Amino acid sequence: MKTREWGAPAPTDVGADSGVLECSQVTVLRGGVRALSGVDVRVSAGEVVGLIGPNGAGKTTLLDVLSGFLTPDSGTVRVDGHEVTDLVASRRARRGIHRTFQGSRLFAGLSVEENILVGAVSMGASRTEAQRHCEELLSSLELMDVRHQRCQGLPQGITQRIVLARALSTRPRFLLLDEPAAGLSEVETQEFEELLRMAQRGGAAVLVVEHDMRFVESVCDRAYVLTEGELLFQGTVAETFASPQVQAAYLGEAELTGTESQELK
């Protein structure tokens, strides 16, 4: 499969901010508690960025804000330099934003092929175009053998590939993934890493929420660290793991190397 076919069509407004999804000073209040407080994040075409932090840090809330499932109490979200803060998820999807959730959220009663076709058709693709792209994804993600099986009850590794296939069927420009490696074996995780690299080479901008630090280290160019709804640190993955701030917040004075890096949750 040609690399270009993994990416979305080029944006119509080409400028300095083309291929950029970003938020600025985003704050979300829940029951009087700040789930997010003045958070800035930016992800650009062709890079994979990690979003890490402990449970309750605000990672999934931030994905909700970026994808349009949640409107922030203050702050802005921009795509290609244009503000989309008030646009709902379906309208942002038309701008090329696709997100996955913890848990597959596949249509269990539909076949693997039908789940992928739903993604393509939902974005306005013709039946012929959707079928062609579906065939490419089934082949590239090694799903041909299960294409006619219902999604319910399939192994986790296969399910995660289906989730990614459905996401890619929309030709996303911005792919937001919520714990995509959860429940995968070491071999399955390595295979999934390669799939993300394929999406990256196709020009997609990928933001990944993940607890598996080996996964983050392997696929991410940069990382943002959230704690208690605030941005604690941002930098390359190496800088993040070496940061005294990050080490103090998650490991006390322990050095974040080797096996210990897996404890950054």
Side-chain angles (χ1 to χ4, degrees):
M1 183 174 181
K2 296 180 181 179
T3 301
R4 65 175 177 84
E5 301 195 64
W6 286 86
T12 55
D13 294 332
V14 178
D17 291 318
S18 176
V20 174
L21 172 63
E22 60 186 335
C23 66
S24 177
Q25 291 298 295
V26 162
T27 295
V28 174
L29 303 176
R30 285 184 170 171
V33 176
R34 289 179 181 262
L36 292 173
S37 181
V39 173
D40 298 341
V41 165
R42 177 185 175 102
V43 57
S44 303
E47 67 172 349
V48 181
V49 177
L51 181 60
I52 62 178
N55 291 330
K59 303 182 299 297
T60 296
T61 300
L62 182 57
L63 291 194
D64 287 340
V65 169
L66 290 170
S67 55
F69 287 90
L70 178 66
T71 301
D73 291 277
S74 63
T76 59
V77 180
R78 289 184 172 85
V79 175
D80 301 329
H82 304 288
E83 186 170 349
V84 297
T85 311
D86 294 327
L87 295 186
V88 297
S90 59
R91 293 188 63 186
R92 290 195 205 181
R94 296 289 177 179
R95 304 275 181 119
I97 300 173
H98 186 101
R99 72 155 296 182
T100 66
F101 298 83
Q102 296 179 24
S104 66
R105 294 201 180 186
L106 295 172
F107 297 108
L110 298 183
S111 70
V112 172
E113 180 175 359
E114 288 168 337
N115 266 274
I116 298 172
L117 287 171
V118 164
V121 172
S122 70
M123 294 303 296
S126 67
R127 180 74 186 192
T128 299
E129 182 184 1
Q131 187 64 53
R132 180 182 64 80
H133 194 37
C134 178
E135 295 290 334
E136 294 166 349
L137 291 168
L138 287 168
S139 176
S140 296
L141 275 67
E142 300 180 357
L143 292 169
M144 283 293 191
D145 291 344
V146 296
R147 66 184 298 171
H148 298 304
Q149 294 187 35
R150 291 187 178 183
C151 290
Q152 187 172 13
L154 289 174
Q156 182 69 9
I158 293 176
T159 297
Q160 291 295 72
R161 294 209 303 273
I162 300 167
V163 170
L164 183 60
R166 190 170 69 177
L168 292 172
S169 74
T170 69
R171 299 187 182 276
R173 298 177 57 224
F174 308 100
L175 188 56
L176 314 181
L177 305 176
D178 200 348
E179 298 194 30
L184 299 185
S185 68
E186 184 175 349
V187 172
E188 289 170 336
T189 298
Q190 291 173 351
E191 292 174 346
F192 198 79
E193 289 171 2
E194 179 54 31
L195 295 176
L196 284 190
R197 293 190 189 98
M198 292 173 70
Q200 178 188 24
R201 290 194 293 269
V206 184
L207 182 63
V208 185
V209 169
E210 188 52 65
H211 284 302
D212 184 338
M213 291 301 101
R214 285 195 181 93
F215 184 90
V216 172
E217 186 174 23
S218 177
V219 303
C220 294
D221 304 299
R222 300 186 291 112
Y224 290 92
V225 183
L226 286 179
T227 180
E228 298 182 347
E230 297 185 352
L231 185 61
L232 174 68
F233 187 86
Q234 62 174 303
T236 67
V237 172
E239 290 169 344
T240 301
F241 288 173
S243 165
Q245 289 176 285
V246 176
Q247 292 179 10
Y250 296 103
L251 298 175
E253 297 302 317
E255 184 179 2
L256 187 60
T257 58
T259 303
E260 290 174 334
S261 70
Q262 310 314 306
E263 299 175 7
L264 180 58
K265 298 183 177 181

